[in-house]
Amino acid sequence: MMKALLLFVLVAAAAAWPSFDFESLEGYQGDDPSVPTLKKQEQVNKLLWKIYDNIKYPELKGYADSFNPVADTSMYSDGGKAVRRLDMEYKDHRLLEQHHWFSLFNARQRNESLMLFDVLMHCPKWDCFVKNAAYWRKKMNEGEFVYALYTAVIHNDVADGVLLPPLYEVTPHMFTNSEVIMQAYTAKMKHTPGKFKMSFTGTKKNKEQRVAYFGEDIGMNTHHVTWHMDFPFWWKDDYGYHLDRKGELFFWAHHQLTARFDSERLSNWLDPVDELHWDEPIVEGFAPHAMYKYGGEFPPRPDNVYFEDVDGVARVRDMLITETRIRDAIDHGYIVKKDGTKIDIMNDEGINILGNIVESSMYSPNIQYYGQLHNLAHIMLGRQGDPHGKYNMTPGVMEHFETATRDPSFFRLHKYMDNIFKKHKYSLPPYKREELEFPGIEVQSISVEGELRTYFEDYEFDLRNAVDSAEGIEEVELKAVVHRLNHREFSFVADVNNNNGGEVMSTFRIFMCPRYDNNELLFGAEKGHWYCIEMDKFWKKLSPGRNHVVRKSTESSVTVPDVPHFQTLIDKVESGGSFDMHEYERACGIPNRMLLPKGKWDGMEFALLLAVTDGSYDATHANPADTDHGGSHAHCSTHGDVYPDKRPMGYPIERRIDDRRIFDSVPNFKMNLVKVFHEEDEHHD
C-alpha cells in the first residue's frame, strides 16, 4: 500500500501525502462506527484530491473496483432502497458522464447528485459510507460526486469531526479566473513552481469594480455555497431531521449579505444597490473571466440587457405572477396552503414561512401556487446571455452558489427579494417599549477598544487540483495569490449595570449602521435600520451591580476563520495522533477578516448599537452562555439543532421604527458613534 502511495510525490517533504499506517491502529475495524476521526479525515482527503483523476490510493481503489453496493443491503438504514435506485440509473446508462459541467440548478443533475447523497445518508456506519463514496466516485460525474459528498459529510453524524477542505482548493476553476488557470497549466507543463496573481474581473472604467473585492472574495463565496449546503432548498425531513427556522435563516443571512454589500458600496462612494425589476433592463453586465474545468468559458452578459423568456425554464410573465402572488399574501396577512387552508403570517413566525416560499424550499406550504422565485431567478439571470439555447452556452455564474456573488446582479436580485421581506416586516406593528426593555438592566456605555481599521492583504491558495496529473510525474507547487480585505483586531467594550439584586442571563446584540448615504445625507431611523449589519450576538451572565464586558472581534457569532488549507489537513493526518479542529467545524459564516466594512481613509461613520435583552426569555437552551452554539450561529444556526435565540432574527431592528425616541428611552439600549478607517493600498484595483 505504502509503495503505491509513493507514486504520489510532491515537491517538498511537507507536501507529501500522509503515510500514517491506520491499519495498525489497535481496535480499528472497518465497520465500527467508532472509526478514528483521523482515519475518516484521511479517506475524505483522498476522495477529494485530484477529483478529476482516477483514485490512486490502494485502499480506496480497491473499494472503487470491487465493492458491490447492492450485494448486502442490510448495511443501509433504508434496507437499500436508495442505493438500488442509484444502481439502476447507472446500469441503465442514465447518469451524467464524467468530464462534464455540473450545476445544482439543473434539475436532472441535481437529482442524480441527491441520489448519491441519499445513499450516503442511509449509511449508519463509516465502512458503508466510505466504500460507497469510493465506488461512486469512479462511476459518477465529478461535480455531482463532490456536491453529494460535501453535503453528506455535513449532515450525516457518521462523519462528525471530519473537516471538508476548502472548495476553492478542490475545484479551483470555480473560484479563479481563466488567466490564472492557464498560467498554472503552463507551469505544470514546464515543471516549474509558480504563484499567479489573481485580479478582479473588471477595470476602473466599471464603477462596480470598486466593490469586486467583496463579491469575488473566495471566503465570501465559501460562506455562500456552504450556507446553501447547510440549509439546502431541496432538503426533506426524511433525510433525518428538521432544519429549524430555515426560511427565516434564508431571509436573514441574505439580507445581511445585501446590507453588508451596501456598506461596502458606501465605503467606495457608490449608492446602495438598486433592486432588480423583471420589466426593466439589467443595468450592470458582467464578464466572469472564468472557465469550467470541462465545458468552456462562463458566459458573459452585456450591460442593459432586458429579460427574455428562458426556454424550458420560465417566462418573464411567470416571474411577475409569482411575485404578485407572494405580495398579495403579505397584503392579506396569510398564506394559502396546498389543501386550501390558510396560515396566518401576521406574527413572528410569518417570516419563516415566507422565506421558505421565496427561496423555493421543499418546506414551502404551496410550491405549485407560490412558485420558485429564488431558484428560477438565479437561472433566468444565468441564462440571459443565451436564453433560447441558440449557442449551447454553459450555465452562467448565477447558476452556481460558489460563483453567484461575483455577479453584481446577485445583489440586485437579493435586494429585490429583501424588499419583499421588508414589506412583510413593515406590515407588523413596531415594537412597544415593553417588548424592548429588560427591567433592572441599564447599559451605561458601549465603545470599541482598538481602532476600527481595515486593509488589504495578499493570500495564497493551492491550485494543484486545477491541473491534470500523470502517474509517476511529480507535482509542482502552484498557487493563486488574491488581494483580500482584512481588519485589525478590536474588541467591543460595554459597561452594564444589573440592578436586579441577583445574577441574570442576558443577550448582547451588537449592530453597526452606516450614518450617511452616498450624498452625505443622514439616514433616519425610519430608513437607516434596514442597512444595519449584525456584528455579534452572545449570551452573558450579569452579576449584581456593574459589569464590564469585553468581547473580542475574533469571538463574533457572525464570522468564521479561514477554512484550513487542503495541505494543512493532509499534514495534520500525516502527523498522526488525535484529530480535533473544533474551531473550524463550520465553514458557514462571514469571513472573520470581513466583519468590518472597508470604511474610508479619513473614516466612515457608523452608529454602534448595543441592545441587552432578557437572556432567560431569549435562549432556547439552558445555560446559553456556556457554549458557542457552533460558532457562527447568528446567520448559520447551530448545526442539527434549534436556533439558539427565540427572538426574530434581527431583533430589535428588523421591524419598522416609527419613533426613535422609544429606542433612546429604553435603558438597556445604548448607541455610540464610531468610525471605520481604511489603510490605502496602491495595489488594490
Side-chain angles (χ1 to χ4, degrees), residues 344-360:
D344 180 17
I345 59 171
M346 295 297 292
N347 48 51
D348 287 341
E349 289 73 40
I351 188 66
N352 188 55
I353 300 167
L354 279 173
N356 287 326
I357 286 173
V358 171
E359 192 206 2
S360 330

Side-chain angles (χ1 to χ4, degrees), residues 35-223:
V35 175
T37 305
L38 202 64
K39 173 68 175 180
K40 298 178 183 180
Q41 186 68 53
E42 181 208 26
Q43 292 175 325
V44 169
N45 287 351
K46 289 180 176 180
L47 285 166
L48 291 169
W49 184 260
K50 293 287 182 180
I51 191 63
Y52 297 100
D53 292 350
N54 294 324
I55 300 178
K56 298 181 176 67
Y57 314 108
E59 180 186 35
L60 296 179
K61 188 176 185 299
Y63 298 155
D65 293 340
S66 60
F67 174 65
N68 184 347
V70 296
D72 177 15
T73 55
S74 66
M75 72 173 71
Y76 305 101
S77 59
D78 66 343
K81 179 180 177 182
V83 77
R84 281 194 294 266
R85 178 188 176 204
L86 179 57
D87 187 62
M88 182 178 294
E89 293 291 299
Y90 169 69
K91 289 176 179 175
D92 287 345
H93 306 288
R94 286 174 49 79
L95 298 182
L96 180 67
E97 68 268 23
Q98 294 188 332
H99 294 183
H100 189 285
W101 56 262
F102 161 73
S103 170
L104 190 67
F105 288 94
N106 180 295
R108 173 60 194 179
Q109 294 178 4
R110 178 175 68 248
N111 289 339
E112 290 180 11
S113 184
L114 295 187
M115 287 182 206
L116 177 55
F117 170 79
D118 205 9
V119 171
L120 297 177
M121 285 297 288
H122 284 103
C123 284
K125 295 185 178 180
W126 184 254
D127 185 60
C128 167
F129 189 99
V130 72
K131 286 179 178 177
N132 269 284
Y135 177 84
W136 292 109
R137 184 192 190 278
K138 182 178 180 180
K139 306 291 191 297
M140 294 187 67
N141 173 269
E142 299 89 348
E144 291 181 351
F145 171 81
V146 168
Y147 185 78
L149 183 63
Y150 264 73
T151 50
V153 167
I154 289 169
H155 291 285
N156 193 334
D157 290 343
V158 78
D160 278 356
V162 174
L163 288 189
L164 290 160
L167 272 169
Y168 50 78
E169 293 186 335
V170 174
T171 54
H173 286 75
M174 304 296 284
F175 298 86
T176 319
N177 62 38
S178 306
E179 183 180 5
V180 167
I181 294 294
M182 297 310 298
Q183 288 174 326
Y185 265 109
T186 300
K188 178 67 182 290
M189 290 174 65
K190 294 181 177 180
H191 205 69
T192 305
K195 295 181 180 180
F196 316 107
K197 186 167 181 61
M198 189 174 90
S199 59
F200 300 123
T201 54
T203 70
K204 292 182 179 179
K205 294 180 179 179
N206 178 10
K207 64 180 181 180
E208 295 298 321
Q209 180 67 13
R210 300 180 205 168
V211 287
Y213 65 85
F214 183 83
E216 296 182 34
D217 185 275
I218 59 173
M220 191 62 71
N221 300 154
T222 299
H223 161 59

Side-chain angles (χ1 to χ4, degrees), residues 259-314:
R260 284 180 171 275
F261 186 61
D262 282 338
S263 278
E264 300 299 339
R265 296 179 69 84
L266 292 170
S267 297
N268 290 279
W269 298 277
L270 295 171
D271 289 329
V273 67
D274 190 19
E275 69 175 324
L276 169 151
H277 299 275
W278 295 112
D279 50 1
E280 295 180 11
I282 311 167
V283 178
E284 299 89 2
F286 183 61
H289 293 284
M291 61 191 293
Y292 286 90
K293 173 71 173 177
Y294 299 101
E297 297 279 338
F298 279 88
R301 183 188 65 251
D303 288 344
N304 297 310
V305 169
Y306 278 88
F307 277 104
E308 291 189 41
D309 298 344
V310 176
D311 293 354
V313 176

Side-chain angles (χ1 to χ4, degrees), residues 664-675:
D664 293 339
S665 67
V666 178
N668 51 304
F669 286 23
K670 196 72 173 181
M671 191 187 77
N672 195 3
L673 299 182
V674 296
K675 283 189 175 183

